Coordinates of all heavy atoms in Angstrom, one line a residue:
M6 N 8.1 20.7 -47.8 CA 7.9 19.3 -48.3 C 8.4 18.4 -47.2 O 7.8 17.4 -46.8 CB 8.7 19.1 -49.6 CG 8.4 17.8 -50.3 SD 6.6 17.6 -50.7 CE 6.7 16.2 -51.8
F7 N 9.6 18.7 -46.6 CA 10.1 17.8 -45.5 C 9.2 17.9 -44.3 O 8.9 16.9 -43.7 CB 11.5 18.4 -45.2 CG 12.1 17.6 -44.0 CD1 12.6 16.3 -44.1 CD2 12.2 18.3 -42.8 CE1 13.1 15.7 -43.0 CE2 12.7 17.6 -41.7 CZ 13.1 16.3 -41.8
R8 N 8.7 19.1 -44.0 CA 7.9 19.2 -42.9 C 6.6 18.4 -43.0 O 6.1 17.9 -42.0 CB 7.6 20.7 -42.7 CG 6.8 21.1 -41.4 CD 6.8 22.5 -41.2 NE 8.1 23.0 -40.9 CZ 8.4 24.2 -40.3 NH1 7.4 25.0 -40.0 NH2 9.6 24.6 -40.0
A9 N 6.0 18.4 -44.2 CA 4.8 17.6 -44.4 C 5.0 16.1 -44.2 O 4.0 15.5 -43.7 CB 4.3 17.9 -45.8
I10 N 6.1 15.6 -44.4 CA 6.4 14.2 -44.1 C 6.7 13.9 -42.6 O 6.3 13.0 -42.1 CB 7.6 13.7 -45.0 CG1 7.2 13.8 -46.5 CG2 8.0 12.3 -44.7 CD1 8.3 13.7 -47.5
A11 N 7.5 14.9 -42.1 CA 7.9 14.6 -40.7 C 6.8 14.7 -39.7 O 6.8 13.9 -38.7 CB 9.0 15.7 -40.3
L12 N 5.8 15.5 -39.9 CA 4.7 15.7 -38.9 C 3.9 14.4 -38.7 O 3.7 14.0 -37.6 CB 3.8 16.9 -39.3 CG 2.8 17.3 -38.3 CD1 3.5 17.7 -37.0 CD2 2.0 18.5 -38.8
P13 N 3.5 13.7 -39.8 CA 2.7 12.5 -39.5 C 3.6 11.4 -38.8 O 3.1 10.6 -38.0 CB 2.4 12.0 -41.0 CG 2.4 13.3 -41.8 CD 3.4 14.1 -41.2
C14 N 4.9 11.4 -39.1 CA 5.8 10.4 -38.4 C 5.8 10.7 -36.9 O 5.7 9.8 -36.1 CB 7.2 10.5 -38.9 SG 7.3 9.8 -40.6
A15 N 5.9 12.0 -36.5 CA 5.9 12.4 -35.1 C 4.6 11.9 -34.4 O 4.6 11.4 -33.3 CB 6.1 13.9 -35.0
I16 N 3.5 12.1 -35.1 CA 2.2 11.7 -34.5 C 2.2 10.2 -34.3 O 1.7 9.7 -33.3 CB 1.1 12.2 -35.4 CG1 1.0 13.7 -35.3 CG2 -0.3 11.6 -35.0 CD1 0.1 14.4 -36.4
F17 N 2.7 9.5 -35.3 CA 2.7 8.0 -35.1 C 3.5 7.6 -33.9 O 3.1 6.7 -33.2 CB 3.3 7.4 -36.4 CG 3.5 5.9 -36.3 CD1 2.4 5.1 -36.4 CD2 4.7 5.4 -36.1 CE1 2.6 3.7 -36.2 CE2 4.9 4.0 -36.0 CZ 3.8 3.2 -36.0
V18 N 4.7 8.2 -33.7 CA 5.6 7.8 -32.6 C 4.9 8.1 -31.3 O 4.9 7.2 -30.4 CB 6.9 8.5 -32.7 CG1 7.7 8.3 -31.4 CG2 7.7 8.1 -33.9
L19 N 4.2 9.2 -31.2 CA 3.5 9.5 -29.9 C 2.4 8.5 -29.7 O 2.2 8.1 -28.5 CB 2.9 10.9 -30.0 CG 3.9 12.1 -29.8 CD1 3.2 13.4 -30.1 CD2 4.5 12.1 -28.4
A20 N 1.6 8.2 -30.7 CA 0.5 7.2 -30.5 C 1.1 5.9 -30.1 O 0.5 5.2 -29.2 CB -0.2 7.1 -31.8
A21 N 2.2 5.4 -30.7 CA 2.8 4.1 -30.4 C 3.2 4.1 -28.9 O 3.1 3.2 -28.2 CB 3.9 3.8 -31.3
T22 N 3.8 5.2 -28.5 CA 4.3 5.3 -27.1 C 3.2 5.3 -26.1 O 3.2 4.5 -25.1 CB 5.2 6.6 -26.9 OG1 6.2 6.6 -27.9 CG2 5.8 6.7 -25.6
A23 N 2.1 6.0 -26.4 CA 1.0 6.0 -25.5 C 0.4 4.6 -25.4 O -0.1 4.3 -24.3 CB 0.0 7.0 -26.0
G24 N 0.4 3.8 -26.4 CA -0.2 2.5 -26.3 C 0.7 1.5 -25.6 O 0.2 0.6 -25.0
A25 N 2.0 1.7 -25.7 CA 2.9 0.7 -25.1 C 3.2 0.9 -23.6 O 3.6 0.0 -22.9 CB 4.2 0.8 -25.9
V26 N 3.1 2.2 -23.1 CA 3.5 2.5 -21.8 C 2.2 2.4 -20.9 O 1.2 3.1 -21.1 CB 4.1 3.9 -21.7 CG1 4.4 4.2 -20.2 CG2 5.4 3.9 -22.5
V27 N 2.3 1.6 -19.9 CA 1.2 1.5 -18.9 C 1.7 2.2 -17.6 O 2.7 1.7 -17.0 CB 0.9 0.0 -18.6 CG1 -0.2 -0.1 -17.5 CG2 0.4 -0.7 -19.9
V28 N 1.0 3.2 -17.3 CA 1.4 4.0 -16.1 C 0.5 3.6 -14.9 O -0.7 3.7 -15.0 CB 1.3 5.5 -16.4 CG1 1.7 6.3 -15.1 CG2 2.2 5.9 -17.5
V29 N 1.2 3.0 -13.9 CA 0.4 2.6 -12.7 C 0.9 3.5 -11.5 O 2.1 3.4 -11.1 CB 0.6 1.1 -12.4 CG1 -0.2 0.8 -11.1 CG2 0.1 0.3 -13.6
A30 N 0.1 4.4 -11.1 CA 0.5 5.2 -10.0 C 0.4 4.5 -8.7 O -0.6 3.7 -8.4 CB -0.4 6.5 -9.9
A31 N 1.4 4.7 -7.8 CA 1.3 4.0 -6.5 C 0.2 4.6 -5.7 O -0.1 5.8 -5.8 CB 2.7 4.3 -5.8
K32 N -0.4 3.8 -4.9 CA -1.6 4.3 -4.1 C -1.4 4.1 -2.7 O -0.4 3.3 -2.3 CB -2.9 3.7 -4.6 CG -3.0 2.2 -4.4 CD -4.4 1.7 -4.8 CE -4.7 0.4 -4.2 NZ -4.3 -0.8 -4.9
T33 N -2.2 4.6 -1.9 CA -2.2 4.4 -0.4 C -3.4 3.7 0.0 O -4.5 4.0 -0.4 CB -2.1 5.8 0.3 OG1 -0.9 6.4 -0.1 CG2 -2.0 5.6 1.8
V34 N -3.2 2.7 0.8 CA -4.3 1.9 1.4 C -4.4 2.2 2.9 O -3.4 2.1 3.6 CB -4.1 0.4 1.2 CG1 -5.2 -0.4 1.9 CG2 -3.9 0.0 -0.3
D35 N -5.6 2.7 3.3 CA -5.7 3.1 4.7 C -6.4 2.1 5.5 O -7.4 1.5 5.2 CB -6.6 4.4 4.7 CG -6.0 5.6 4.0 OD1 -4.8 5.8 4.3 OD2 -6.6 6.2 3.2
V36 N -5.8 1.8 6.7 CA -6.3 0.9 7.7 C -6.5 1.7 9.0 O -5.6 2.4 9.4 CB -5.4 -0.3 8.0 CG1 -6.0 -1.2 9.1 CG2 -5.2 -1.1 6.7
K37 N -7.7 1.7 9.5 CA -8.0 2.4 10.8 C -8.1 1.4 11.9 O -8.6 0.3 11.7 CB -9.4 3.1 10.6 CG -9.6 4.3 11.6 CD -10.8 5.1 11.1 CE -10.9 6.4 12.0 NZ -11.9 7.3 11.4
I38 N -7.6 1.8 13.1 CA -7.7 1.0 14.3 C -8.7 1.6 15.2 O -8.6 2.8 15.6 CB -6.4 0.8 14.9 CG1 -5.3 0.3 14.0 CG2 -6.5 -0.1 16.2 CD1 -3.9 0.3 14.5
A39 N -9.7 0.8 15.6 CA -10.7 1.3 16.6 C -11.3 0.0 17.3 O -11.4 -1.0 16.6 CB -11.9 2.0 15.9
A40 N -11.6 0.2 18.5 CA -12.2 -0.9 19.3 C -11.4 -2.2 19.2 O -11.9 -3.3 19.0 CB -13.6 -1.2 18.9
L41 N -10.1 -2.0 19.3 CA -9.1 -3.2 19.3 C -9.2 -4.0 18.0 O -9.2 -5.3 18.1 CB -9.2 -4.0 20.6 CG -8.6 -3.4 21.8 CD1 -9.7 -2.7 22.7 CD2 -7.8 -4.3 22.6
A42 N -9.3 -3.4 16.9 CA -9.4 -4.1 15.6 C -8.9 -3.3 14.5 O -9.0 -2.0 14.5 CB -10.9 -4.5 15.4
F43 N -8.3 -4.0 13.5 CA -7.8 -3.3 12.3 C -9.0 -3.3 11.3 O -9.7 -4.4 11.1 CB -6.7 -4.1 11.6 CG -5.4 -4.1 12.5 CD1 -5.1 -5.3 13.1 CD2 -4.6 -3.0 12.6 CE1 -3.9 -5.4 13.9 CE2 -3.5 -3.1 13.4 CZ -3.1 -4.3 14.0
A44 N -9.3 -2.2 10.7 CA -10.4 -2.1 9.8 C -10.0 -1.3 8.5 O -9.7 -0.2 8.6 CB -11.6 -1.4 10.4
P45 N -10.1 -2.0 7.4 CA -10.4 -3.4 7.2 C -9.3 -4.3 7.7 O -8.1 -3.9 7.6 CB -10.6 -3.6 5.7 CG -9.8 -2.5 5.1 CD -9.8 -1.4 6.1
A46 N -9.6 -5.5 8.1 CA -8.6 -6.4 8.6 C -7.7 -7.0 7.5 O -6.6 -7.5 7.7 CB -9.3 -7.6 9.4
E47 N -8.3 -7.0 6.3 CA -7.6 -7.6 5.2 C -7.6 -6.6 4.0 O -8.7 -6.1 3.7 CB -8.3 -8.9 4.8 CG -7.4 -9.9 4.1 CD -8.0 -11.3 4.1 OE1 -8.7 -11.6 5.0 OE2 -7.8 -12.0 3.1
V48 N -6.4 -6.3 3.4 CA -6.4 -5.3 2.3 C -5.5 -5.9 1.2 O -4.7 -6.8 1.4 CB -5.8 -4.0 2.7 CG1 -6.7 -3.3 3.7 CG2 -4.3 -4.1 3.2
T49 N -5.7 -5.4 0.0 CA -5.0 -5.9 -1.2 C -4.3 -4.6 -1.8 O -4.9 -3.6 -1.9 CB -5.9 -6.6 -2.2 OG1 -6.4 -7.7 -1.6 CG2 -5.1 -7.0 -3.4
A50 N -3.0 -4.8 -2.2 CA -2.3 -3.6 -2.7 C -1.2 -4.2 -3.7 O -1.1 -5.4 -3.8 CB -1.6 -2.8 -1.6
H51 N -0.6 -3.3 -4.4 CA 0.5 -3.6 -5.3 C 1.9 -3.3 -4.7 O 2.0 -2.4 -3.9 CB 0.3 -2.9 -6.6 CG -0.8 -3.3 -7.5 ND1 -2.1 -2.8 -7.3 CD2 -0.9 -4.3 -8.4 CE1 -2.9 -3.4 -8.2 NE2 -2.2 -4.3 -8.9
V52 N 2.9 -3.9 -5.2 CA 4.3 -3.6 -4.9 C 4.4 -2.1 -5.2 O 4.1 -1.6 -6.3 CB 5.3 -4.4 -5.7 CG1 6.7 -3.9 -5.5 CG2 5.2 -5.9 -5.2
G53 N 5.0 -1.3 -4.3 CA 5.2 0.1 -4.4 C 4.1 0.9 -3.7 O 4.3 2.1 -3.5
D54 N 3.0 0.3 -3.4 CA 1.9 1.0 -2.7 C 2.3 1.2 -1.2 O 3.3 0.5 -0.7 CB 0.6 0.3 -2.8 CG 0.0 0.3 -4.1 OD1 0.5 1.1 -5.0 OD2 -1.0 -0.5 -4.4
T55 N 1.6 2.1 -0.5 CA 1.8 2.3 0.9 C 0.6 1.9 1.7 O -0.5 2.2 1.3 CB 2.1 3.8 1.1 OG1 3.2 4.2 0.3 CG2 2.3 4.2 2.6
V56 N 0.8 1.3 2.8 CA -0.3 1.0 3.7 C -0.1 2.0 4.9 O 1.0 2.1 5.4 CB -0.3 -0.4 4.3 CG1 -1.4 -0.6 5.3 CG2 -0.4 -1.4 3.2
T57 N -1.2 2.7 5.2 CA -1.1 3.6 6.3 C -2.1 3.2 7.4 O -3.2 2.8 7.1 CB -1.6 5.0 5.9 OG1 -0.7 5.5 4.9 CG2 -1.5 6.0 7.0
W58 N -1.6 3.1 8.6 CA -2.5 2.8 9.8 C -2.7 4.0 10.6 O -1.8 4.8 10.9 CB -1.8 1.7 10.7 CG -1.7 0.4 10.1 CD1 -2.7 -0.6 10.2 CD2 -0.6 -0.2 9.3 NE1 -2.2 -1.7 9.5 CE2 -1.0 -1.5 9.0 CE3 0.6 0.3 8.9 CZ2 -0.2 -2.4 8.2 CZ3 1.4 -0.5 8.1 CH2 1.0 -1.8 7.8
E59 N -3.9 4.2 11.0 CA -4.3 5.3 11.9 C -4.9 4.8 13.2 O -5.9 4.0 13.1 CB -5.3 6.2 11.2 CG -5.8 7.4 12.1 CD -7.1 8.1 11.5 OE1 -7.5 7.8 10.4 OE2 -7.6 8.9 12.3
N60 N -4.3 5.1 14.3 CA -4.8 4.6 15.6 C -5.9 5.6 16.1 O -5.5 6.6 16.7 CB -3.7 4.4 16.6 CG -4.2 3.8 17.9 OD1 -5.4 3.5 18.0 ND2 -3.3 3.7 18.8
A61 N -7.1 5.2 15.9 CA -8.2 6.1 16.3 C -8.8 5.5 17.6 O -9.9 5.8 18.0 CB -9.3 6.1 15.3
D62 N -8.0 4.6 18.3 CA -8.4 3.9 19.5 C -8.0 4.7 20.7 O -7.4 5.8 20.6 CB -7.8 2.5 19.5 CG -8.8 1.5 20.0 OD1 -9.8 1.9 20.7 OD2 -8.6 0.3 19.8
F63 N -8.4 4.2 21.9 CA -8.0 4.9 23.1 C -6.8 4.4 23.8 O -6.4 4.8 24.9 CB -9.3 4.8 24.1 CG -9.7 3.4 24.3 CD1 -9.2 2.7 25.4 CD2 -10.6 2.8 23.5 CE1 -9.6 1.4 25.7 CE2 -11.0 1.5 23.7 CZ -10.5 0.8 24.8
I64 N -6.1 3.4 23.2 CA -4.9 2.8 23.7 C -3.9 2.6 22.6 O -4.3 2.6 21.4 CB -5.2 1.4 24.4 CG1 -6.1 0.6 23.6 CG2 -5.7 1.6 25.8 CD1 -6.3 -0.8 24.1
D65 N -2.6 2.4 23.0 CA -1.6 2.3 22.0 C -1.7 0.9 21.3 O -2.2 -0.1 21.9 CB -0.2 2.4 22.6 CG 0.1 3.7 23.2 OD1 -0.7 4.7 22.9 OD2 1.0 3.9 24.0
H66 N -1.2 0.9 20.0 CA -1.2 -0.4 19.3 C 0.1 -0.4 18.4 O 0.8 0.5 18.4 CB -2.4 -0.5 18.3 CG -3.7 -0.6 19.0 ND1 -4.1 -1.6 19.8 CD2 -4.7 0.3 19.1 CE1 -5.3 -1.4 20.3 NE2 -5.7 -0.3 19.9
T67 N 0.3 -1.6 17.8 CA 1.3 -1.7 16.8 C 0.7 -2.4 15.6 O -0.3 -3.1 15.7 CB 2.6 -2.5 17.3 OG1 2.3 -3.9 17.2 CG2 3.0 -2.1 18.6
A68 N 1.4 -2.3 14.5 CA 1.1 -3.1 13.3 C 2.4 -3.8 13.0 O 3.3 -3.2 12.4 CB 0.6 -2.3 12.1
T69 N 2.6 -5.1 13.4 CA 3.9 -5.8 13.3 C 3.8 -7.0 12.4 O 3.0 -7.9 12.7 CB 4.3 -6.2 14.7 OG1 4.3 -5.0 15.6 CG2 5.7 -6.8 14.7
S70 N 4.5 -7.0 11.4 CA 4.5 -8.2 10.4 C 5.0 -9.4 11.1 O 6.0 -9.4 11.8 CB 5.4 -7.8 9.3 OG 5.7 -9.0 8.5
S71 N 4.3 -10.5 11.0 CA 4.7 -11.8 11.6 C 6.0 -12.3 11.0 O 6.7 -13.0 11.6 CB 3.6 -12.8 11.4 OG 2.4 -12.3 11.9
E72 N 6.3 -11.9 9.7 CA 7.5 -12.4 9.1 C 8.7 -11.4 9.4 O 9.8 -11.6 8.9 CB 7.3 -12.4 7.5 CG 6.4 -13.5 7.1 CD 4.9 -13.1 7.1 OE1 4.6 -11.9 7.4 OE2 4.1 -14.0 6.9
G73 N 8.5 -10.4 10.1 CA 9.5 -9.5 10.5 C 9.8 -8.4 9.5 O 10.8 -7.7 9.5
G74 N 8.9 -8.2 8.5 CA 9.0 -7.2 7.5 C 8.9 -5.7 8.0 O 9.5 -4.8 7.4
W75 N 8.0 -5.5 9.0 CA 7.8 -4.2 9.5 C 7.3 -4.2 10.9 O 6.7 -5.2 11.3 CB 6.9 -3.4 8.5 CG 5.4 -3.8 8.6 CD1 4.5 -3.5 9.5 CD2 4.8 -4.7 7.6 NE1 3.3 -4.1 9.2 CE2 3.4 -4.8 8.0 CE3 5.2 -5.3 6.4 CZ2 2.5 -5.5 7.3 CZ3 4.3 -6.0 5.7 CH2 2.9 -6.2 6.1
D76 N 7.5 -3.2 11.6 CA 7.0 -3.0 13.0 C 6.7 -1.5 13.2 O 7.6 -0.7 13.4 CB 8.1 -3.5 14.0 CG 7.6 -3.4 15.4 OD1 6.4 -3.3 15.6 OD2 8.5 -3.5 16.3
V77 N 5.4 -1.2 13.1 CA 4.9 0.1 13.1 C 4.3 0.4 14.5 O 3.3 -0.3 14.9 CB 3.9 0.4 12.0 CG1 3.4 1.9 12.1 CG2 4.5 0.1 10.6
V78 N 4.9 1.3 15.3 CA 4.4 1.6 16.6 C 3.3 2.8 16.4 O 3.6 3.8 15.7 CB 5.5 2.1 17.5 CG1 4.9 2.5 18.9 CG2 6.5 1.0 17.7
L79 N 2.1 2.5 17.0 CA 1.0 3.5 16.8 C 0.4 4.0 18.1 O -0.5 3.4 18.7 CB -0.1 2.8 16.0 CG 0.4 2.3 14.6 CD1 -0.5 1.2 14.1 CD2 0.3 3.5 13.6
P80 N 1.0 5.0 18.7 CA 0.4 5.6 19.9 C -1.0 6.1 19.6 O -1.4 6.3 18.5 CB 1.4 6.7 20.3 CG 2.1 7.0 19.0 CD 2.1 5.8 18.2
V81 N -1.7 6.4 20.7 CA -3.1 6.9 20.5 C -3.1 8.2 19.6 O -2.3 9.1 19.8 CB -3.7 7.3 21.9 CG1 -5.0 8.0 21.8 CG2 -3.8 6.0 22.8
G82 N -3.9 8.1 18.6 CA -4.0 9.3 17.7 C -2.9 9.3 16.6 O -2.8 10.2 15.8
G83 N -2.0 8.3 16.7 CA -0.8 8.3 15.8 C -1.1 7.6 14.5 O -2.1 6.8 14.3
T84 N -0.3 7.9 13.5 CA -0.3 7.2 12.2 C 1.1 6.6 11.9 O 2.1 7.1 12.4 CB -0.8 8.1 11.1 OG1 0.1 9.2 10.9 CG2 -2.2 8.6 11.3
G85 N 1.1 5.6 11.1 CA 2.4 5.1 10.6 C 2.2 4.4 9.3 O 1.0 4.1 8.9
R86 N 3.2 4.3 8.5 CA 3.1 3.7 7.2 C 4.2 2.8 6.8 O 5.3 2.9 7.3 CB 3.0 4.9 6.1 CG 4.2 5.7 6.0 CD 3.9 7.0 5.3 NE 3.1 7.9 6.1 CZ 2.0 8.5 5.6 NH1 1.7 8.5 4.3 NH2 1.3 9.3 6.4
V87 N 3.9 1.9 5.8 CA 4.9 1.0 5.3 C 4.8 1.0 3.8 O 3.7 1.0 3.3 CB 4.7 -0.4 5.8 CG1 5.4 -1.4 5.0 CG2 5.2 -0.5 7.3
V88 N 5.9 1.1 3.1 CA 5.9 1.0 1.6 C 6.1 -0.5 1.3 O 7.1 -1.1 1.8 CB 7.0 1.9 1.0 CG1 7.0 1.7 -0.6 CG2 6.7 3.3 1.3
L89 N 5.2 -1.1 0.5 CA 5.3 -2.5 0.2 C 6.3 -2.7 -0.9 O 6.2 -2.2 -2.0 CB 3.9 -3.0 -0.2 CG 2.8 -2.7 0.8 CD1 1.4 -2.9 0.2 CD2 3.0 -3.5 2.0
T90 N 7.3 -3.5 -0.6 CA 8.4 -3.7 -1.5 C 8.5 -5.1 -2.2 O 9.2 -5.3 -3.1 CB 9.8 -3.5 -0.8 OG1 9.9 -4.3 0.3 CG2 9.9 -2.0 -0.4
K91 N 7.7 -6.0 -1.7 CA 7.6 -7.3 -2.3 C 6.3 -8.0 -2.3 O 5.4 -7.7 -1.4 CB 8.7 -8.3 -1.7 CG 8.5 -8.5 -0.2 CD 9.6 -9.5 0.3 CE 9.4 -9.9 1.7 NZ 10.3 -10.9 2.2
A92 N 6.0 -8.8 -3.3 CA 4.7 -9.5 -3.4 C 4.6 -10.6 -2.4 O 5.6 -11.2 -2.0 CB 4.6 -10.0 -4.8
G93 N 3.4 -10.9 -2.1 CA 3.1 -12.0 -1.1 C 1.9 -11.7 -0.2 O 1.3 -10.6 -0.4
T94 N 1.6 -12.6 0.7 CA 0.6 -12.3 1.6 C 1.2 -12.2 3.0 O 2.0 -13.1 3.4 CB -0.5 -13.5 1.6 OG1 -1.1 -13.5 0.4 CG2 -1.5 -13.3 2.7
F95 N 1.0 -11.1 3.7 CA 1.7 -10.8 4.9 C 0.7 -10.7 6.1 O -0.1 -9.8 6.0 CB 2.6 -9.6 4.8 CG 3.5 -9.7 3.6 CD1 3.2 -9.1 2.4 CD2 4.7 -10.3 3.8 CE1 4.1 -9.3 1.3 CE2 5.6 -10.5 2.7 CZ 5.3 -9.9 1.5
D96 N 0.8 -11.5 7.0 CA 0.0 -11.4 8.3 C 0.7 -10.5 9.2 O 1.9 -10.4 9.3 CB -0.1 -12.8 8.9 CG -0.9 -13.8 8.1 OD1 -2.0 -13.4 7.7 OD2 -0.4 -14.9 7.8
Y97 N -0.1 -9.7 9.9 CA 0.5 -8.9 11.0 C -0.4 -8.9 12.2 O -1.6 -9.2 12.1 CB 0.8 -7.5 10.4 CG -0.4 -6.6 10.1 CD1 -1.0 -5.8 11.0 CD2 -1.0 -6.7 8.8 CE1 -2.1 -5.0 10.7 CE2 -2.1 -5.9 8.5 CZ -2.7 -5.1 9.4 OH -3.8 -4.3 9.1
I98 N 0.1 -8.5 13.3 CA -0.6 -8.4 14.6 C -0.3 -7.1 15.3 O 0.7 -6.4 14.9 CB -0.3 -9.6 15.5 CG1 1.2 -9.6 15.9 CG2 -0.7 -10.9 14.9 CD1 1.6 -10.5 17.0
C99 N -1.0 -6.9 16.3 CA -0.6 -5.8 17.3 C 0.2 -6.6 18.4 O -0.4 -7.5 19.0 CB -1.8 -5.1 17.9 SG -1.4 -4.1 19.3
T100 N 1.4 -6.3 18.7 CA 2.2 -7.0 19.6 C 1.7 -6.8 21.1 O 2.0 -7.6 21.9 CB 3.7 -6.7 19.6 OG1 3.9 -5.3 19.7 CG2 4.3 -7.1 18.2
I101 N 1.0 -5.7 21.3 CA 0.5 -5.4 22.6 C -0.8 -6.3 22.8 O -1.1 -6.7 24.0 CB 0.1 -3.9 22.8 CG1 1.4 -3.1 22.5 CG2 -0.4 -3.6 24.2 CD1 1.1 -1.6 22.3
H102 N -1.6 -6.5 21.8 CA -2.8 -7.3 21.8 C -2.8 -8.3 20.7 O -3.4 -8.0 19.6 CB -4.0 -6.3 21.7 CG -4.0 -5.1 22.5 ND1 -3.6 -3.9 22.0 CD2 -4.2 -4.9 23.8 CE1 -3.6 -3.0 23.0 NE2 -3.9 -3.6 24.1
P103 N -2.1 -9.4 20.9 CA -1.8 -10.3 19.8 C -3.1 -10.9 19.1 O -3.0 -11.5 18.1 CB -1.0 -11.4 20.4 CG -0.4 -10.8 21.6 CD -1.4 -9.8 22.1
N104 N -4.2 -10.8 19.8 CA -5.5 -11.2 19.2 C -5.9 -10.3 18.1 O -6.9 -10.6 17.3 CB -6.6 -11.4 20.2 CG -6.9 -10.1 21.0 OD1 -5.9 -9.4 21.3 ND2 -8.1 -9.8 21.2
M105 N -5.3 -9.1 18.0 CA -5.6 -8.2 16.8 C -4.8 -8.6 15.6 O -3.6 -8.6 15.7 CB -5.2 -6.8 17.2 CG -6.1 -6.1 18.3 SD -5.5 -4.5 18.7 CE -5.5 -3.6 17.2
K106 N -5.5 -9.1 14.6 CA -4.8 -9.6 13.4 C -5.2 -8.9 12.2 O -6.4 -8.5 12.0 CB -5.2 -11.1 13.3 CG -4.6 -12.0 14.4 CD -4.9 -13.4 14.2 CE -4.2 -14.3 15.1 NZ -4.8 -14.6 16.4
G107 N -4.2 -8.8 11.2 CA -4.5 -8.2 9.9 C -3.7 -8.9 8.9 O -2.9 -9.7 9.2
K108 N -4.1 -8.6 7.6 CA -3.4 -9.3 6.5 C -3.3 -8.3 5.3 O -4.2 -7.6 5.0 CB -4.3 -10.5 6.1 CG -3.6 -11.5 5.2 CD -4.5 -12.7 4.9 CE -4.8 -13.6 6.1 NZ -4.3 -14.9 5.9
V109 N -2.1 -8.4 4.7 CA -1.9 -7.5 3.5 C -1.5 -8.4 2.3 O -0.5 -9.2 2.4 CB -0.8 -6.5 3.7 CG1 -0.6 -5.6 2.5 CG2 -1.1 -5.6 4.9
H110 N -2.4 -8.4 1.3 CA -2.0 -9.2 0.1 C -1.3 -8.2 -0.9 O -1.9 -7.1 -1.2 CB -3.3 -9.6 -0.6 CG -4.1 -10.6 0.2 ND1 -3.8 -11.9 0.3 CD2 -5.2 -10.4 1.0 CE1 -4.7 -12.5 1.2 NE2 -5.6 -11.6 1.5
V111 N -0.1 -8.5 -1.3 CA 0.6 -7.6 -2.2 C 0.8 -8.3 -3.5 O 1.4 -9.4 -3.6 CB 2.0 -7.2 -1.6 CG1 2.7 -6.2 -2.5 CG2 1.8 -6.7 -0.2
T112 N 0.3 -7.8 -4.6 CA 0.5 -8.3 -5.9 C 1.6 -7.5 -6.7 O 1.7 -6.3 -6.5 CB -0.8 -8.4 -6.7 OG1 -1.3 -7.0 -6.8 CG2 -1.9 -9.2 -6.0
S113 N 2.2 -8.2 -7.7 CA 3.3 -7.5 -8.4 C 2.8 -7.1 -9.8 O 3.6 -6.4 -10.5 CB 4.5 -8.5 -8.5 OG 4.1 -9.7 -9.2
D114 N 1.6 -7.4 -10.2 CA 1.2 -7.0 -11.6 C 0.5 -5.7 -11.6 O 0.3 -5.1 -10.5 CB 0.2 -8.1 -12.1 CG -1.0 -8.4 -11.2 OD1 -1.3 -7.5 -10.4 OD2 -1.5 -9.5 -11.3
Ligands
LIG21 CU1 -3.1 -3.3 20.2

């Protein structure tokens, strides 16, 4: 008798939990560098996501935040990554070739 009552309650609790919890997995956004350009030059991600740069070019580059948030050195064939910890729009450049520009939009929702 007790078991017959307890089981429907347990199912209800599981259903309520599944509806209330929104699970958002962190993702990785890939940016490739080729022909002295970031591609894509502009990306959108969430707080907690990672941006990965891959230098597929024939010369060294960097991905350096203009606000000083990160400075990723990217030798030829190298990769580097940054975990996004705050929301906002962040411009970055290659310090070796300052005409190379990129932008990361970070949302908190
Ligand atoms: Cu460069």
Side-chain angles (χ1 to χ4, degrees):
M6 192 58 168
F7 175 74
R8 187 168 293 196
I10 295 166
L12 189 58
C14 288
I16 289 168
F17 173 76
V18 170
L19 283 173
T22 304
V26 177
V27 177
V28 179
V29 179
K32 67 176 196 277
T33 299
V34 177
D35 296 313
V36 178
K37 199 167 188 172
I38 305 171
L41 285 101
F43 298 107
E47 207 163 325
V48 296
T49 300
H51 289 88
V52 171
D54 289 350
T55 299
V56 177
T57 300
W58 289 271
E59 177 194 351
N60 184 1
D62 219 339
F63 56 92
I64 45 176
D65 296 349
H66 296 293
T67 76
T69 306
S70 167
S71 306
E72 291 84 6
W75 69 80
D76 183 15
V77 179
V78 177
L79 299 155
V81 173
T84 59
R86 67 196 66 223
V87 162
V88 177
L89 304 166
T90 56
K91 61 178 182 177
T94 296
F95 304 96
D96 293 309
Y97 67 92
I98 61 166
C99 168
T100 54
I101 305 166
H102 316 99
N104 57 319
M105 290 175 61
K106 293 184 169 89
K108 196 179 288 249
V109 181
H110 300 280
V111 186
T112 59
S113 57
D114 54 26

